[in-house]
Amino acid sequence: MEGKKVIVIHGYTASPDNHWFNWLKDELEALGATVDIPTMPESDSPDPQKWEQCLLDANIQFDENTILVGHSLGCITALRFLENHAPEGAKIGGYVLVSGFDRTLDTMPDLAAHTQFSLDYSKLIGMSDKRASIVSSNDWAVDSATSIELAKSLQTSITVVENAGHFLDREGFTRLPALLSLLKFWY
């Protein structure tokens, strides 16, 4: 992971201090990576333009050392950011989607503004050979079928974690070994 820059994008109602984010940061930094977990604005009532601007303000490089990790709403945010701002033909180090979705969810209709436009799957596939989805078998917030559908659209690998809920700290997810193992396997 030496020289890699990992950007972790949290989701709805979350912050950089929630769930498994700081654990991942500590683990990856111990392996030589640089990790940034931007505080996405107003996460209780997220605006897609403000979230995209937050990532623009983070000066993320579109190069083969950059890896994006999204959780829940952070997934569509990362994908939309790549789609809208990466130069044509840009290659990044990879992206991982944890409980990803790209359509309106019955469980979180407030997030519909984030998914009102279709993604350019072919552009997103072309940005990296390292694309992965991590899905819970019993996700109550983002149905696993929805995450798998997105994974298939993006031709990502799929890792299913049994009974992981929505990968939240209150569900016991202060660590996410499947994600760390995946990143170590890549690099």
Side-chain angles (χ1 to χ4, degrees):
M1 296 296 303
E2 194 69 42
K4 299 299 176 199
K5 170 84 177 186
V6 180
I7 297 91
V8 180
I9 305 160
H10 68 73
Y12 184 41
T13 73
S15 79
D17 296 324
N18 293 136
H19 317 315
W20 37 269
F21 309 140
N22 280 314
W23 168 83
L24 182 66
K25 178 178 169 65
D26 292 345
E27 293 288 324
L28 294 177
E29 287 178 343
L31 297 171
T34 304
V35 181
D36 185 24
I37 312 170
T39 300
M40 303 308 285
E42 302 164 23
S43 76
D44 289 341
S45 58
D47 175 281
Q49 286 76 32
K50 289 180 181 176
W51 278 41
E52 201 168 310
Q53 186 61 50
C54 180
L55 294 182
L56 276 172
D57 294 344
N59 295 314
I60 297 167
Q61 301 299 306
F62 299 102
D63 62 33
E64 297 203 6
N65 287 319
T66 299
I67 302 162
L68 299 184
V69 174
H71 176 237
S72 193
L73 183 60
C75 297
I76 187 73
T77 301
L79 294 169
R80 189 76 65 203
F81 173 73
L82 290 171
E83 175 186 62
N84 291 341
H85 299 287
E88 204 55 50
K91 298 283 187 194
I92 64 167
Y95 54 82
V96 182
L97 310 174
V98 179
S99 291
F101 64 92
D102 65 347
R103 60 182 165 92
T104 302
L105 302 170
D106 293 339
T107 54
M108 295 181 277
D110 296 354
L111 304 181
H114 294 264
T115 57
Q116 63 183 336
F117 304 109
S118 296
L119 291 166
D120 182 345
Y121 300 114
S122 59
K123 178 177 181 177
L124 293 165
I125 290 167
M127 293 195 72
S128 181
D129 294 335
K130 294 177 173 71
R131 302 180 310 279
S133 295
I134 298 178
V135 179
S136 168
S137 66
N138 68 336
D139 196 325
W140 53 269
V142 179
D143 183 68
S144 60
T146 300
S147 294
I148 290 169
E149 185 180 305
L150 175 60
K152 288 179 178 176
S153 296
L154 291 168
Q155 300 173 11
T156 69
S157 66
I158 301 171
T159 301
V160 177
V161 180
E162 292 298 321
N163 303 314
H166 195 51
F167 299 101
L168 303 177
D169 46 16
R170 68 177 179 260
E171 298 168 320
F173 277 83
T174 55
R175 303 168 2 116
L176 188 47
L179 174 55
L180 181 61
S181 295
L182 176 74
L183 293 171
K184 285 168 132 179
F185 174 74
W186 282 354
Y187 296 104

mmCIF file of all heavy atoms in Angstrom, residues 17 82 154:
data_model
loop_
_atom_site.group_PDB
_atom_site.id
_atom_site.type_symbol
_atom_site.label_atom_id
_atom_site.label_comp_id
_atom_site.label_asym_id
_atom_site.label_seq_id
_atom_site.Cartn_x
_atom_site.Cartn_y
_atom_site.Cartn_z
ATOM 1 N N ASP A 17 -15.828 9.576 12.028
ATOM 2 C CA ASP A 17 -15.541 8.862 13.278
ATOM 3 C C ASP A 17 -16.430 7.648 13.506
ATOM 4 O O ASP A 17 -16.306 6.977 14.525
ATOM 5 C CB ASP A 17 -15.674 9.825 14.465
ATOM 6 C CG ASP A 17 -14.641 10.928 14.405
ATOM 7 O OD1 ASP A 17 -13.507 10.655 13.974
ATOM 8 O OD2 ASP A 17 -14.977 12.068 14.749
ATOM 9 N N LEU A 82 -16.419 10.442 -9.828
ATOM 10 C CA LEU A 82 -15.545 9.918 -10.873
ATOM 11 C C LEU A 82 -16.125 10.176 -12.259
ATOM 12 O O LEU A 82 -15.426 10.622 -13.174
ATOM 13 C CB LEU A 82 -15.328 8.413 -10.683
ATOM 14 C CG LEU A 82 -14.486 7.994 -9.478
ATOM 15 C CD1 LEU A 82 -14.543 6.485 -9.293
ATOM 16 C CD2 LEU A 82 -13.052 8.480 -9.631
ATOM 17 N N LEU A 154 -21.403 -2.631 -12.902
ATOM 18 C CA LEU A 154 -20.027 -2.121 -12.926
ATOM 19 C C LEU A 154 -18.990 -3.236 -13.094
ATOM 20 O O LEU A 154 -17.795 -2.968 -13.086
ATOM 21 C CB LEU A 154 -19.731 -1.356 -11.624
ATOM 22 C CG LEU A 154 -20.481 -0.041 -11.469
ATOM 23 C CD1 LEU A 154 -20.359 0.477 -10.048
ATOM 24 C CD2 LEU A 154 -19.968 0.993 -12.471
#
